[in-house]
Amino acid sequence: MTEASTSLKPDAFKVACSSCNLRELCLPVGLDRPELDRLDTLVSTRRSVSRGDTLFRSGDHFESLYAVRTGFFKTCVSSEDGRDQVTGFQMAGELLGLDGISTDRHSCDAVALEDSQVCVIQYSQLEILSREFTHLQHQFHKIMSREIVRDHGVMLLLGSMRAEERLAAFLLNLTQRLQARGFSSSSLILRMTREEIGSYLGLKLETVSRTFSKFQEDGLLDVKQRQIRILNQDGLHQLVNGAGATC
Amino acid sequence: MTEASTSLKPDAFKVACSSCNLRELCLPVGLDRPELDRLDTLVSTRRSVSRGDTLFRSGDHFESLYAVRTGFFKTCVSSEDGRDQVTGFQMAGELLGLDGISTDRHSCDAVALEDSQVCVIQYSQLEILSREFTHLQHQFHKIMSREIVRDHGVMLLLGSMRAEERLAAFLLNLTQRLQARGFSSSSLILRMTREEIGSYLGLKLETVSRTFSKFQEDGLLDVKQRQIRILNQDGLHQLVNGAGATC
DNA sequence: CGCGAGCTTGATGCCGATCAATGCATGTGG
DNA sequence: CCACATGCATTGATCGGCATCAAGCTCGCG
């Protein structure tokens, strides 16, 4: 009932890392031909997740990692008393589920923000294969380490930035990742609500909305609901970094 | 000059994971005898770091991980405009340096808060050995995953808790980790300043100080500078979790 | 067309930042 | 041994940014 519309059965058709156009962003970075062929045996199924459905939930048994193939996700943790916090947004080529390794259970929820597809990576198989291929082992470690570094950046944001700085940093991070995937660096459509942005940034949705409006007044952005056009990228950068540096 | 009192040369004497009393908390968890013996060849040197000195700094070339053997560390990241943020406090048995794997350079500073010793773990060797021993490989992955989960917890704290809740959560986390190392769960000496606590919790030092005073008034703590005695642990727990749960 | 989810905008209040002064412990040199 | 400096902690007064409460507004959809 709770996962009524989630496709729990893997999709029938096969996919191959070796022919995937995300392979330069995803787990296979740096692998050579024979390694790629072996990886194909590991990443053999996809799973579709409809908008609003969960890929996994906190407490679920951990078995697989998931590479986003198409679509967009959020991950969120929640405390016992019901508070919850969006910990990240994931787009194509990014990995979901690393939190589960530590206790064999997931510690956060992963929710699709639009109809999405993920590649299912059996963790036990990944362990085996990464003992065989040093490149794969190293790449996997790098991905985990990168997640740690990213988290530290978010802590910096949450611990020491003001509302405008947080939103500017968020937008710049999003556009940078979109650009790496071949999208425009100046125009984007937000897949998440103001409330989800607020949760990620440690702000209330009203503050997010007001800050968008302020950016528009200041000529930094053009905001039409979830359609954002960046008019002055340098201006955003200065908000994040140059807050007091120009003195 | 900047690291005048740091011992850059590894200490001469050898150490062995197999005979270390931290082995149930550290990297060797779950390894059997022969595996432990091999690990001893990998973790062969210690390094001493005096109070106030850095073990590594942001930008340093990454080569090794460090397991805290004795002492206490903080890690902090800083942004271009000079803002900085304490991202964690590490005590005996905990690993430092995981951030460096992602780019081959460290992305944070690790500073000793008291005279400390660390075991030096050559990362390249760890990769080799963890291809051979599945337990070691798995344990290492668990440690990285645990760091990610911990970071998500800090994000929840920074994003959605109020000052009293943050400090209560911080104290409970500290005592829990100290207890796992055989120390009292009700009495502790803080190794860090109010300012460092504040940075970690996203608060100013005055707020940290005031909140300590408030806890004392409320009979939750006995505070004498850095000496803390917890008088009502349940009370602290209720602050963190039960904020609104009793309605 | 009307409903509802999500977004915007305004008015008000509070929590924690900021500014400032004092207190307390440790250490150093006269 | 005391005078003084220094680093850290405490406490008070005031201020400001963001939360909160409360209306409307927009847009997609049955």
Side-chain angles (χ1 to χ4, degrees), chain B residues 162-164 202-204 206-207 210 225:
Chain B
R162 291 173 324 94
E164 294 184 19
L203 302 169
K204 292 289 146 182
E206 295 95 327
T207 304
R210 271 184 249 274
Q225 304 278 107

PDB file of all heavy atoms in Angstrom, chain B residues 162-164 202-204 206-207 210 225, chain C residues 15-21 23-25:
ATOM      1  N   ARG B 162      17.320  23.916  17.694  1.00  0.00           N
ATOM      2  CA  ARG B 162      17.607  25.175  18.352  1.00  0.00           C
ATOM      3  C   ARG B 162      18.801  24.999  19.286  1.00  0.00           C
ATOM      4  O   ARG B 162      19.254  23.884  19.531  1.00  0.00           O
ATOM      5  CB  ARG B 162      16.370  25.683  19.062  1.00  0.00           C
ATOM      6  CG  ARG B 162      15.314  26.110  18.025  1.00  0.00           C
ATOM      7  CD  ARG B 162      13.957  26.487  18.530  1.00  0.00           C
ATOM      8  NE  ARG B 162      13.537  25.683  19.659  1.00  0.00           N
ATOM      9  CZ  ARG B 162      13.709  26.022  20.930  1.00  0.00           C
ATOM     10  NH1 ARG B 162      14.330  27.166  21.236  1.00  0.00           N
ATOM     11  NH2 ARG B 162      13.273  25.242  21.880  1.00  0.00           N
ATOM     12  N   ALA B 163      19.282  26.119  19.789  1.00  0.00           N
ATOM     13  CA  ALA B 163      20.562  26.102  20.502  1.00  0.00           C
ATOM     14  C   ALA B 163      20.615  25.044  21.609  1.00  0.00           C
ATOM     15  O   ALA B 163      21.573  24.265  21.679  1.00  0.00           O
ATOM     16  CB  ALA B 163      20.853  27.484  21.077  1.00  0.00           C
ATOM     17  N   GLU B 164      19.605  25.005  22.459  1.00  0.00           N
ATOM     18  CA  GLU B 164      19.629  24.048  23.568  1.00  0.00           C
ATOM     19  C   GLU B 164      19.649  22.618  23.072  1.00  0.00           C
ATOM     20  O   GLU B 164      20.365  21.761  23.605  1.00  0.00           O
ATOM     21  CB  GLU B 164      18.402  24.247  24.460  1.00  0.00           C
ATOM     22  CG  GLU B 164      18.414  25.580  25.182  1.00  0.00           C
ATOM     23  CD  GLU B 164      17.228  25.710  26.138  1.00  0.00           C
ATOM     24  OE1 GLU B 164      16.633  24.677  26.496  1.00  0.00           O
ATOM     25  OE2 GLU B 164      16.901  26.852  26.509  1.00  0.00           O
ATOM     26  N   GLY B 202      27.174  25.530  14.886  1.00  0.00           N
ATOM     27  CA  GLY B 202      26.559  26.660  14.190  1.00  0.00           C
ATOM     28  C   GLY B 202      26.055  27.735  15.132  1.00  0.00           C
ATOM     29  O   GLY B 202      25.026  28.361  14.870  1.00  0.00           O
ATOM     30  N   LEU B 203      26.768  27.948  16.233  1.00  0.00           N
ATOM     31  CA  LEU B 203      26.376  28.956  17.217  1.00  0.00           C
ATOM     32  C   LEU B 203      27.574  29.831  17.541  1.00  0.00           C
ATOM     33  O   LEU B 203      28.712  29.468  17.271  1.00  0.00           O
ATOM     34  CB  LEU B 203      25.898  28.275  18.507  1.00  0.00           C
ATOM     35  CG  LEU B 203      24.720  27.306  18.399  1.00  0.00           C
ATOM     36  CD1 LEU B 203      24.542  26.525  19.685  1.00  0.00           C
ATOM     37  CD2 LEU B 203      23.453  28.053  18.036  1.00  0.00           C
ATOM     38  N   LYS B 204      27.340  30.974  18.164  1.00  0.00           N
ATOM     39  CA  LYS B 204      28.442  31.814  18.637  1.00  0.00           C
ATOM     40  C   LYS B 204      28.843  31.358  20.031  1.00  0.00           C
ATOM     41  O   LYS B 204      28.049  30.777  20.763  1.00  0.00           O
ATOM     42  CB  LYS B 204      28.001  33.272  18.659  1.00  0.00           C
ATOM     43  CG  LYS B 204      27.777  33.847  17.278  1.00  0.00           C
ATOM     44  CD  LYS B 204      29.091  34.042  16.544  1.00  0.00           C
ATOM     45  CE  LYS B 204      28.929  33.791  15.053  1.00  0.00           C
ATOM     46  NZ  LYS B 204      30.183  33.932  14.300  1.00  0.00           N
ATOM     47  N   GLU B 206      29.255  32.919  22.753  1.00  0.00           N
ATOM     48  CA  GLU B 206      28.428  33.445  23.839  1.00  0.00           C
ATOM     49  C   GLU B 206      27.168  32.602  24.024  1.00  0.00           C
ATOM     50  O   GLU B 206      26.735  32.361  25.154  1.00  0.00           O
ATOM     51  CB  GLU B 206      28.020  34.893  23.567  1.00  0.00           C
ATOM     52  CG  GLU B 206      29.167  35.884  23.543  1.00  0.00           C
ATOM     53  CD  GLU B 206      29.678  36.133  22.141  1.00  0.00           C
ATOM     54  OE1 GLU B 206      29.632  35.191  21.322  1.00  0.00           O
ATOM     55  OE2 GLU B 206      30.124  37.253  21.850  1.00  0.00           O
ATOM     56  N   THR B 207      26.595  32.195  22.925  1.00  0.00           N
ATOM     57  CA  THR B 207      25.386  31.370  23.010  1.00  0.00           C
ATOM     58  C   THR B 207      25.693  30.024  23.655  1.00  0.00           C
ATOM     59  O   THR B 207      24.921  29.515  24.465  1.00  0.00           O
ATOM     60  CB  THR B 207      24.794  31.161  21.604  1.00  0.00           C
ATOM     61  OG1 THR B 207      24.547  32.433  21.013  1.00  0.00           O
ATOM     62  CG2 THR B 207      23.502  30.374  21.656  1.00  0.00           C
ATOM     63  N   ARG B 210      26.095  30.728  27.391  1.00  0.00           N
ATOM     64  CA  ARG B 210      24.791  30.958  28.006  1.00  0.00           C
ATOM     65  C   ARG B 210      24.001  29.673  28.140  1.00  0.00           C
ATOM     66  O   ARG B 210      23.327  29.451  29.153  1.00  0.00           O
ATOM     67  CB  ARG B 210      23.978  31.934  27.142  1.00  0.00           C
ATOM     68  CG  ARG B 210      24.187  33.377  27.492  1.00  0.00           C
ATOM     69  CD  ARG B 210      23.254  34.242  26.649  1.00  0.00           C
ATOM     70  NE  ARG B 210      24.008  35.020  25.678  1.00  0.00           N
ATOM     71  CZ  ARG B 210      24.543  36.198  25.939  1.00  0.00           C
ATOM     72  NH1 ARG B 210      24.432  36.721  27.137  1.00  0.00           N
ATOM     73  NH2 ARG B 210      25.204  36.854  25.013  1.00  0.00           N
ATOM     74  N   GLN B 225      33.921  25.595  34.098  1.00  0.00           N
ATOM     75  CA  GLN B 225      34.776  25.805  32.927  1.00  0.00           C
ATOM     76  C   GLN B 225      34.630  24.599  31.992  1.00  0.00           C
ATOM     77  O   GLN B 225      33.538  24.371  31.498  1.00  0.00           O
ATOM     78  CB  GLN B 225      36.238  25.984  33.353  1.00  0.00           C
ATOM     79  CG  GLN B 225      36.440  27.091  34.352  1.00  0.00           C
ATOM     80  CD  GLN B 225      36.512  28.437  33.672  1.00  0.00           C
ATOM     81  OE1 GLN B 225      35.585  29.249  33.751  1.00  0.00           O
ATOM     82  NE2 GLN B 225      37.603  28.675  32.980  1.00  0.00           N
TER      83      GLN B 225
ATOM     84  P    DC C  15      12.209  32.506  21.918  1.00  0.00           P
ATOM     85  OP1  DC C  15      11.321  31.411  22.322  1.00  0.00           O
ATOM     86  OP2  DC C  15      12.667  33.521  22.894  1.00  0.00           O
ATOM     87  O5'  DC C  15      13.484  31.864  21.226  1.00  0.00           O
ATOM     88  C5'  DC C  15      13.388  31.309  19.906  1.00  0.00           C
ATOM     89  C4'  DC C  15      14.689  31.561  19.171  1.00  0.00           C
ATOM     90  O4'  DC C  15      14.784  32.951  18.804  1.00  0.00           O
ATOM     91  C3'  DC C  15      15.928  31.238  19.981  1.00  0.00           C
ATOM     92  O3'  DC C  15      16.754  30.418  19.175  1.00  0.00           O
ATOM     93  C2'  DC C  15      16.533  32.598  20.321  1.00  0.00           C
ATOM     94  C1'  DC C  15      16.041  33.474  19.189  1.00  0.00           C
ATOM     95  N1   DC C  15      15.785  34.916  19.515  1.00  0.00           N
ATOM     96  C2   DC C  15      16.159  35.911  18.603  1.00  0.00           C
ATOM     97  O2   DC C  15      16.721  35.591  17.553  1.00  0.00           O
ATOM     98  N3   DC C  15      15.891  37.207  18.900  1.00  0.00           N
ATOM     99  C4   DC C  15      15.280  37.529  20.046  1.00  0.00           C
ATOM    100  N4   DC C  15      15.028  38.815  20.282  1.00  0.00           N
ATOM    101  C5   DC C  15      14.894  36.529  20.990  1.00  0.00           C
ATOM    102  C6   DC C  15      15.165  35.245  20.695  1.00  0.00           C
ATOM    103  P    DG C  16      18.013  29.680  19.771  1.00  0.00           P
ATOM    104  OP1  DG C  16      18.108  28.384  19.087  1.00  0.00           O
ATOM    105  OP2  DG C  16      17.943  29.764  21.242  1.00  0.00           O
ATOM    106  O5'  DG C  16      19.215  30.578  19.261  1.00  0.00           O
ATOM    107  C5'  DG C  16      19.348  30.810  17.864  1.00  0.00           C
ATOM    108  C4'  DG C  16      20.181  32.027  17.619  1.00  0.00           C
ATOM    109  O4'  DG C  16      19.533  33.212  18.146  1.00  0.00           O
ATOM    110  C3'  DG C  16      21.583  32.021  18.248  1.00  0.00           C
ATOM    111  O3'  DG C  16      22.471  32.433  17.244  1.00  0.00           O
ATOM    112  C2'  DG C  16      21.459  33.018  19.397  1.00  0.00           C
ATOM    113  C1'  DG C  16      20.496  34.016  18.782  1.00  0.00           C
ATOM    114  N9   DG C  16      19.818  34.914  19.704  1.00  0.00           N
ATOM    115  C8   DG C  16      19.265  34.598  20.917  1.00  0.00           C
ATOM    116  N7   DG C  16      18.723  35.635  21.508  1.00  0.00           N
ATOM    117  C5   DG C  16      18.936  36.693  20.628  1.00  0.00           C
ATOM    118  C6   DG C  16      18.580  38.049  20.725  1.00  0.00           C
ATOM    119  O6   DG C  16      17.970  38.628  21.638  1.00  0.00           O
ATOM    120  N1   DG C  16      18.987  38.772  19.598  1.00  0.00           N
ATOM    121  C2   DG C  16      19.648  38.244  18.528  1.00  0.00           C
ATOM    122  N2   DG C  16      19.965  39.083  17.543  1.00  0.00           N
ATOM    123  N3   DG C  16      19.999  36.972  18.432  1.00  0.00           N
ATOM    124  C4   DG C  16      19.611  36.254  19.511  1.00  0.00           C
ATOM    125  P    DA C  17      24.036  32.560  17.364  1.00  0.00           P
ATOM    126  OP1  DA C  17      24.613  31.651  16.374  1.00  0.00           O
ATOM    127  OP2  DA C  17      24.430  32.469  18.787  1.00  0.00           O
ATOM    128  O5'  DA C  17      24.287  34.046  16.849  1.00  0.00           O
ATOM    129  C5'  DA C  17      23.762  34.427  15.586  1.00  0.00           C
ATOM    130  C4'  DA C  17      24.069  35.882  15.318  1.00  0.00           C
ATOM    131  O4'  DA C  17      23.289  36.717  16.205  1.00  0.00           O
ATOM    132  C3'  DA C  17      25.522  36.288  15.527  1.00  0.00           C
ATOM    133  O3'  DA C  17      25.895  37.220  14.515  1.00  0.00           O
ATOM    134  C2'  DA C  17      25.532  36.911  16.922  1.00  0.00           C
ATOM    135  C1'  DA C  17      24.129  37.483  17.042  1.00  0.00           C
ATOM    136  N9   DA C  17      23.564  37.391  18.392  1.00  0.00           N
ATOM    137  C8   DA C  17      23.439  36.271  19.162  1.00  0.00           C
ATOM    138  N7   DA C  17      22.872  36.485  20.329  1.00  0.00           N
ATOM    139  C5   DA C  17      22.601  37.843  20.315  1.00  0.00           C
ATOM    140  C6   DA C  17      22.000  38.687  21.262  1.00  0.00           C
ATOM    141  N6   DA C  17      21.539  38.280  22.450  1.00  0.00           N
ATOM    142  N1   DA C  17      21.878  39.989  20.944  1.00  0.00           N
ATOM    143  C2   DA C  17      22.334  40.413  19.752  1.00  0.00           C
ATOM    144  N3   DA C  17      22.915  39.707  18.782  1.00  0.00           N
ATOM    145  C4   DA C  17      23.018  38.417  19.138  1.00  0.00           C
ATOM    146  P    DT C  18      27.374  37.766  14.421  1.00  0.00           P
ATOM    147  OP1  DT C  18      27.582  38.133  13.012  1.00  0.00           O
ATOM    148  OP2  DT C  18      28.257  36.817  15.120  1.00  0.00           O
ATOM    149  O5'  DT C  18      27.335  39.102  15.280  1.00  0.00           O
ATOM    150  C5'  DT C  18      26.381  40.108  14.967  1.00  0.00           C
ATOM    151  C4'  DT C  18      26.473  41.224  15.979  1.00  0.00           C
ATOM    152  O4'  DT C  18      25.851  40.811  17.216  1.00  0.00           O
ATOM    153  C3'  DT C  18      27.904  41.643  16.349  1.00  0.00           C
ATOM    154  O3'  DT C  18      28.014  43.037  16.104  1.00  0.00           O
ATOM    155  C2'  DT C  18      28.024  41.318  17.836  1.00  0.00           C
ATOM    156  C1'  DT C  18      26.560  41.364  18.285  1.00  0.00           C
ATOM    157  N1   DT C  18      26.201  40.562  19.481  1.00  0.00           N
ATOM    158  C2   DT C  18      25.514  41.168  20.502  1.00  0.00           C
ATOM    159  O2   DT C  18      25.206  42.341  20.481  1.00  0.00           O
ATOM    160  N3   DT C  18      25.207  40.347  21.556  1.00  0.00           N
ATOM    161  C4   DT C  18      25.513  39.007  21.689  1.00  0.00           C
ATOM    162  O4   DT C  18      25.181  38.371  22.682  1.00  0.00           O
ATOM    163  C5   DT C  18      26.236  38.430  20.588  1.00  0.00           C
ATOM    164  C7   DT C  18      26.609  36.981  20.634  1.00  0.00           C
ATOM    165  C6   DT C  18      26.545  39.219  19.546  1.00  0.00           C
ATOM    166  P    DC C  19      29.452  43.775  16.111  1.00  0.00           P
ATOM    167  OP1  DC C  19      29.439  44.764  15.022  1.00  0.00           O
ATOM    168  OP2  DC C  19      30.513  42.752  16.198  1.00  0.00           O
ATOM    169  O5'  DC C  19      29.407  44.573  17.498  1.00  0.00           O
ATOM    170  C5'  DC C  19      28.256  45.337  17.812  1.00  0.00           C
ATOM    171  C4'  DC C  19      28.337  45.828  19.245  1.00  0.00           C
ATOM    172  O4'  DC C  19      27.880  44.785  20.138  1.00  0.00           O
ATOM    173  C3'  DC C  19      29.750  46.199  19.710  1.00  0.00           C
ATOM    174  O3'  DC C  19      29.677  47.408  20.444  1.00  0.00           O
ATOM    175  C2'  DC C  19      30.149  45.017  20.589  1.00  0.00           C
ATOM    176  C1'  DC C  19      28.791  44.656  21.197  1.00  0.00           C
ATOM    177  N1   DC C  19      28.678  43.282  21.726  1.00  0.00           N
ATOM    178  C2   DC C  19      27.937  43.065  22.894  1.00  0.00           C
ATOM    179  O2   DC C  19      27.406  44.022  23.446  1.00  0.00           O
ATOM    180  N3   DC C  19      27.832  41.804  23.378  1.00  0.00           N
ATOM    181  C4   DC C  19      28.431  40.784  22.752  1.00  0.00           C
ATOM    182  N4   DC C  19      28.286  39.570  23.271  1.00  0.00           N
ATOM    183  C5   DC C  19      29.192  40.989  21.551  1.00  0.00           C
ATOM    184  C6   DC C  19      29.289  42.244  21.085  1.00  0.00           C
ATOM    185  P    DA C  20      31.009  48.140  20.963  1.00  0.00           P
ATOM    186  OP1  DA C  20      30.724  49.595  20.830  1.00  0.00           O
ATOM    187  OP2  DA C  20      32.209  47.550  20.345  1.00  0.00           O
ATOM    188  O5'  DA C  20      31.002  47.763  22.509  1.00  0.00           O
ATOM    189  C5'  DA C  20      29.801  47.916  23.272  1.00  0.00           C
ATOM    190  C4'  DA C  20      30.034  47.409  24.670  1.00  0.00           C
ATOM    191  O4'  DA C  20      29.780  45.989  24.739  1.00  0.00           O
ATOM    192  C3'  DA C  20      31.467  47.609  25.207  1.00  0.00           C
ATOM    193  O3'  DA C  20      31.412  48.198  26.486  1.00  0.00           O
ATOM    194  C2'  DA C  20      32.019  46.207  25.248  1.00  0.00           C
ATOM    195  C1'  DA C  20      30.749  45.400  25.552  1.00  0.00           C
ATOM    196  N9   DA C  20      30.835  43.983  25.221  1.00  0.00           N
ATOM    197  C8   DA C  20      31.414  43.402  24.124  1.00  0.00           C
ATOM    198  N7   DA C  20      31.342  42.090  24.121  1.00  0.00           N
ATOM    199  C5   DA C  20      30.682  41.793  25.308  1.00  0.00           C
ATOM    200  C6   DA C  20      30.289  40.573  25.900  1.00  0.00           C
ATOM    201  N6   DA C  20      30.520  39.391  25.357  1.00  0.00           N
ATOM    202  N1   DA C  20      29.642  40.640  27.092  1.00  0.00           N
ATOM    203  C2   DA C  20      29.409  41.836  27.632  1.00  0.00           C
ATOM    204  N3   DA C  20      29.729  43.043  27.169  1.00  0.00           N
ATOM    205  C4   DA C  20      30.364  42.945  25.995  1.00  0.00           C
ATOM    206  P    DA C  21      32.739  48.834  27.183  1.00  0.00           P
ATOM    207  OP1  DA C  21      32.482  50.272  27.347  1.00  0.00           O
ATOM    208  OP2  DA C  21      33.953  48.360  26.490  1.00  0.00           O
ATOM    209  O5'  DA C  21      32.686  48.150  28.620  1.00  0.00           O
ATOM    210  C5'  DA C  21      31.427  48.015  29.282  1.00  0.00           C
ATOM    211  C4'  DA C  21      31.510  46.872  30.267  1.00  0.00           C
ATOM    212  O4'  DA C  21      31.489  45.619  29.540  1.00  0.00           O
ATOM    213  C3'  DA C  21      32.795  46.866  31.100  1.00  0.00           C
ATOM    214  O3'  DA C  21      32.446  46.873  32.474  1.00  0.00           O
ATOM    215  C2'  DA C  21      33.506  45.584  30.689  1.00  0.00           C
ATOM    216  C1'  DA C  21      32.348  44.716  30.198  1.00  0.00           C
ATOM    217  N9   DA C  21      32.738  43.692  29.246  1.00  0.00           N
ATOM    218  C8   DA C  21      33.472  43.839  28.091  1.00  0.00           C
ATOM    219  N7   DA C  21      33.667  42.721  27.431  1.00  0.00           N
ATOM    220  C5   DA C  21      33.022  41.767  28.217  1.00  0.00           C
ATOM    221  C6   DA C  21      32.853  40.376  28.076  1.00  0.00           C
ATOM    222  N6   DA C  21      33.342  39.687  27.045  1.00  0.00           N
ATOM    223  N1   DA C  21      32.146  39.728  29.030  1.00  0.00           N
ATOM    224  C2   DA C  21      31.656  40.427  30.053  1.00  0.00           C
ATOM    225  N3   DA C  21      31.745  41.741  30.298  1.00  0.00           N
ATOM    226  C4   DA C  21      32.446  42.347  29.335  1.00  0.00           C
ATOM    227  P    DG C  23      34.248  41.929  37.991  1.00  0.00           P
ATOM    228  OP1  DG C  23      33.483  41.996  39.251  1.00  0.00           O
ATOM    229  OP2  DG C  23      35.552  42.597  37.840  1.00  0.00           O
ATOM    230  O5'  DG C  23      34.424  40.392  37.610  1.00  0.00           O
ATOM    231  C5'  DG C  23      33.270  39.583  37.372  1.00  0.00           C
ATOM    232  C4'  DG C  23      33.719  38.157  37.107  1.00  0.00           C
ATOM    233  O4'  DG C  23      34.306  38.079  35.782  1.00  0.00           O
ATOM    234  C3'  DG C  23      34.777  37.650  38.085  1.00  0.00           C
ATOM    235  O3'  DG C  23      34.458  36.298  38.395  1.00  0.00           O
ATOM    236  C2'  DG C  23      36.073  37.756  37.285  1.00  0.00           C
ATOM    237  C1'  DG C  23      35.587  37.485  35.869  1.00  0.00           C
ATOM    238  N9   DG C  23      36.377  38.061  34.783  1.00  0.00           N
ATOM    239  C8   DG C  23      36.738  39.374  34.618  1.00  0.00           C
ATOM    240  N7   DG C  23      37.425  39.586  33.523  1.00  0.00           N
ATOM    241  C5   DG C  23      37.516  38.337  32.936  1.00  0.00           C
ATOM    242  C6   DG C  23      38.143  37.934  31.731  1.00  0.00           C
ATOM    243  O6   DG C  23      38.765  38.623  30.915  1.00  0.00           O
ATOM    244  N1   DG C  23      38.007  36.563  31.508  1.00  0.00           N
ATOM    245  C2   DG C  23      37.343  35.697  32.343  1.00  0.00           C
ATOM    246  N2   DG C  23      37.313  34.429  31.971  1.00  0.00           N
ATOM    247  N3   DG C  23      36.746  36.055  33.465  1.00  0.00           N
ATOM    248  C4   DG C  23      36.874  37.384  33.698  1.00  0.00           C
ATOM    249  P    DC C  24      35.107  35.575  39.653  1.00  0.00           P
ATOM    250  OP1  DC C  24      34.048  34.807  40.323  1.00  0.00           O
ATOM    251  OP2  DC C  24      35.926  36.562  40.401  1.00  0.00           O
ATOM    252  O5'  DC C  24      36.098  34.551  38.969  1.00  0.00           O
ATOM    253  C5'  DC C  24      35.604  33.631  38.000  1.00  0.00           C
ATOM    254  C4'  DC C  24      36.771  32.970  37.301  1.00  0.00           C
ATOM    255  O4'  DC C  24      37.323  33.872  36.320  1.00  0.00           O
ATOM    256  C3'  DC C  24      37.924  32.602  38.235  1.00  0.00           C
ATOM    257  O3'  DC C  24      38.170  31.223  38.071  1.00  0.00           O
ATOM    258  C2'  DC C  24      39.079  33.466  37.754  1.00  0.00           C
ATOM    259  C1'  DC C  24      38.710  33.664  36.284  1.00  0.00           C
ATOM    260  N1   DC C  24      39.303  34.848  35.603  1.00  0.00           N
ATOM    261  C2   DC C  24      39.990  34.652  34.402  1.00  0.00           C
ATOM    262  O2   DC C  24      40.083  33.519  33.925  1.00  0.00           O
ATOM    263  N3   DC C  24      40.518  35.726  33.772  1.00  0.00           N
ATOM    264  C4   DC C  24      40.394  36.945  34.298  1.00  0.00           C
ATOM    265  N4   DC C  24      40.929  37.976  33.645  1.00  0.00           N
ATOM    266  C5   DC C  24      39.706  37.161  35.522  1.00  0.00           C
ATOM    267  C6   DC C  24      39.180  36.095  36.145  1.00  0.00           C
ATOM    268  P    DA C  25      39.075  30.416  39.106  1.00  0.00           P
ATOM    269  OP1  DA C  25      38.322  29.223  39.543  1.00  0.00           O
ATOM    270  OP2  DA C  25      39.637  31.369  40.078  1.00  0.00           O
ATOM    271  O5'  DA C  25      40.257  29.913  38.159  1.00  0.00           O
ATOM    272  C5'  DA C  25      39.974  29.053  37.069  1.00  0.00           C
ATOM    273  C4'  DA C  25      41.164  29.050  36.138  1.00  0.00           C
ATOM    274  O4'  DA C  25      41.359  30.393  35.628  1.00  0.00           O
ATOM    275  C3'  DA C  25      42.474  28.638  36.797  1.00  0.00           C
ATOM    276  O3'  DA C  25      43.024  27.566  36.080  1.00  0.00           O
ATOM    277  C2'  DA C  25      43.339  29.899  36.757  1.00  0.00           C
ATOM    278  C1'  DA C  25      42.738  30.671  35.599  1.00  0.00           C
ATOM    279  N9   DA C  25      42.864  32.127  35.688  1.00  0.00           N
ATOM    280  C8   DA C  25      42.461  32.934  36.706  1.00  0.00           C
ATOM    281  N7   DA C  25      42.698  34.212  36.496  1.00  0.00           N
ATOM    282  C5   DA C  25      43.298  34.239  35.249  1.00  0.00           C
ATOM    283  C6   DA C  25      43.783  35.276  34.464  1.00  0.00           C
ATOM    284  N6   DA C  25      43.745  36.568  34.818  1.00  0.00           N
ATOM    285  N1   DA C  25      44.328  34.953  33.264  1.00  0.00           N
ATOM    286  C2   DA C  25      44.375  33.670  32.903  1.00  0.00           C
ATOM    287  N3   DA C  25      43.943  32.599  33.561  1.00  0.00           N
ATOM    288  C4   DA C  25      43.410  32.959  34.739  1.00  0.00           C
TER     289       DA C  25
END
